[in-house]
């Protein structure tokens, strides 16, 4: 099972929107997809239409060891796409895990036990570099970084990259940066173009060719409990995520079970 952490410690850069729509695109082409919601706000779960009454078990239960991933995962309205939902209990998980000797490996061990169930796993990380994100990076094999096309886009990116290097050295030598996805691009704003050029100049080929535009339909979709690709497949945001999914696939190792 390929595992990708969608991470950036800055909030509001499109992590959850990216995770939801890439998961939907991959499921649409036949992959069995698990989306792990590791954000206590639970926006990825809500954005896929998972009501709080359906979250009897959650990623919190998996991390503290009271449930398996298979038992806690919930099927979504998207065929072949399941979500490991989040609840507000997750906000206390970091405190509870501090005393556990394997606190950085909790998610990794849980996913190892469920590796035959899904072809690919996307992990929606919280906007921080705390123990929840560390668990995601230890469990993942790749990191996808959504980067907002605004003035402070590169602020904090070096800190995330340093964290990735530390995780690679201490826990997970297989971890690699899959790519940086530019999001919330506003073609009417010269600053967006300038930021895009600066990021490509700094990071080169690690930046995906696809740029996700700022799009009203992308913002509306979660309120309907639907991925944008289902809410409005023809909107510019959805079309961008379809292209981004193709690029992502071209960078991933082959998975024998995937369609």
């Amino acid at each position: 099972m390929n595992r990708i952490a969608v991470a950036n410690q800055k909030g509001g850069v499109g992590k959850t929107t990216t995770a939801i729509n890439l998961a939907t695109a991959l499921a649409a082409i036949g992959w069995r997809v698990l989306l792990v919601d590791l954000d206590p706000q639970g926006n990825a779960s809500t954005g896929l239409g998972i009501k709080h009454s359906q979250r009897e078990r959650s990623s919190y239960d998996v991390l503290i060891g009271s449930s398996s991933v298979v038992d806690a995962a919930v099927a979504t309205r998207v065929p072949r796409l399941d979500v490991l939902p989040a609840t507000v209990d997750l906000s206390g998980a970091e405190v509870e895990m501090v005393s556990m000797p394997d606190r950085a490996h909790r998610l990794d061990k849980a996913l190892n036990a469920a590796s035959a169930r899904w072809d690919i796993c996307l992990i929606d990380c919280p906007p921080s570099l705390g123990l929840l994100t560390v668990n995601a990076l230890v469990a993942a094999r790749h990191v996808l970084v959504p980067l907002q096309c605004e003035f402070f886009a590169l602020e904090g990116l070096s800190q995330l990259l340093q964290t990735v290097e530390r995780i690679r050295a201490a826990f997970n030598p297989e971890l690699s940066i899959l790519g940086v996805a530019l999001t919330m691009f506003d073609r009417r704003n010269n600053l967006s173009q300038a930021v895009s050029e600066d990021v490509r100049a700094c990071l080169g080929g690690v930046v995906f060719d696809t740029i996700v535009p700022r799009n009203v339909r992308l913002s509306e979709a979660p309120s309907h409990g639907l991925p944008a690709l289902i809410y409005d497949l023809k909107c510019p945001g959805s079309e961008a995520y379809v292209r981004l999914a193709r690029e992502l696939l071209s960078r991933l190792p082959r998975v024998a079970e995937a369609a």
Side-chain angles (χ1 to χ4, degrees):
M1 177 168 61
N2 272 306
R3 303 179 195 169
I4 304 170
V6 183
N8 190 327
Q9 74 268 31
K10 288 182 68 65
V13 300
K15 285 190 299 294
T16 299
T17 299
T18 297
I20 288 174
N21 287 291
L22 285 179
T24 302
L26 293 170
I29 63 170
W31 287 47
R32 297 170 298 165
V33 184
L34 174 67
L35 176 55
V36 176
D37 191 348
L38 270 194
D39 190 338
Q41 297 178 86
N43 290 337
S45 308
T46 302
L48 284 168
I50 306 301
K51 299 177 181 178
H52 288 281
S53 60
Q54 296 175 270
R55 308 180 199 183
E56 296 180 6
R57 301 183 184 91
S58 68
S59 51
Y60 166 79
D61 297 292
V62 169
L63 288 173
I64 66 169
S66 64
S67 176
S68 69
V69 174
V70 172
D71 288 340
V74 178
T76 70
R77 286 181 278 183
V78 181
R80 293 176 296 276
L81 173 56
D82 299 327
V83 61
L84 178 57
T87 62
V88 70
D89 293 338
L90 197 57
S91 59
E94 292 192 350
V95 176
E96 295 185 47
M97 288 191 295
V98 165
S99 60
M100 297 177 180
D102 58 346
R103 57 185 176 272
H105 297 270
R106 305 292 292 181
L107 183 61
D108 184 40
K109 291 181 177 180
L111 289 174
N112 283 340
S115 60
R117 180 72 173 266
W118 295 278
D119 300 315
I120 191 165
C121 171
L122 298 176
I123 307 170
D124 184 33
C125 297
S128 70
L129 293 178
L131 194 50
L132 291 175
T133 298
V134 168
N135 260 266
L137 295 178
V138 171
R141 297 298 172 264
H142 310 281
V143 184
L144 189 154
V145 185
L147 201 64
Q148 187 177 9
C149 291
E150 293 198 353
F151 182 71
F152 293 113
L154 292 172
E155 181 185 0
L157 180 61
S158 61
Q159 185 180 355
L160 174 62
L161 297 179
Q162 289 170 10
T163 300
V164 169
E165 286 301 322
R166 293 192 190 103
I167 295 294
R168 183 185 289 136
F171 303 114
N172 185 4
E174 297 180 16
L175 186 65
S176 65
I177 301 293
L178 184 65
V180 173
L182 297 176
T183 63
M184 301 183 180
F185 182 88
D186 187 346
R187 67 179 64 205
R188 301 167 299 179
N189 188 338
N190 291 335
L191 181 59
S192 285
Q193 185 62 44
V195 169
S196 173
E197 293 172 358
D198 287 348
V199 171
R200 292 187 189 282
C202 290
L203 301 177
V206 74
V207 183
F208 288 104
D209 291 335
T210 301
I211 297 178
V212 180
R214 188 177 291 278
N215 182 237
V216 172
R217 304 297 270 179
L218 287 180
S219 302
E220 290 176 350
S223 67
H224 296 272
L226 291 171
L229 269 67
I230 292 177
Y231 181 63
D232 186 352
L233 179 59
K234 298 298 183 182
C235 75
S238 293
E239 291 177 343
Y241 276 118
V242 170
R243 292 194 300 273
L244 183 61
R246 291 196 191 103
E247 278 198 79
L248 181 149
L249 286 173
S250 72
R251 299 189 183 193
L252 277 182
R254 293 283 183 180
V255 177
E257 297 84 2

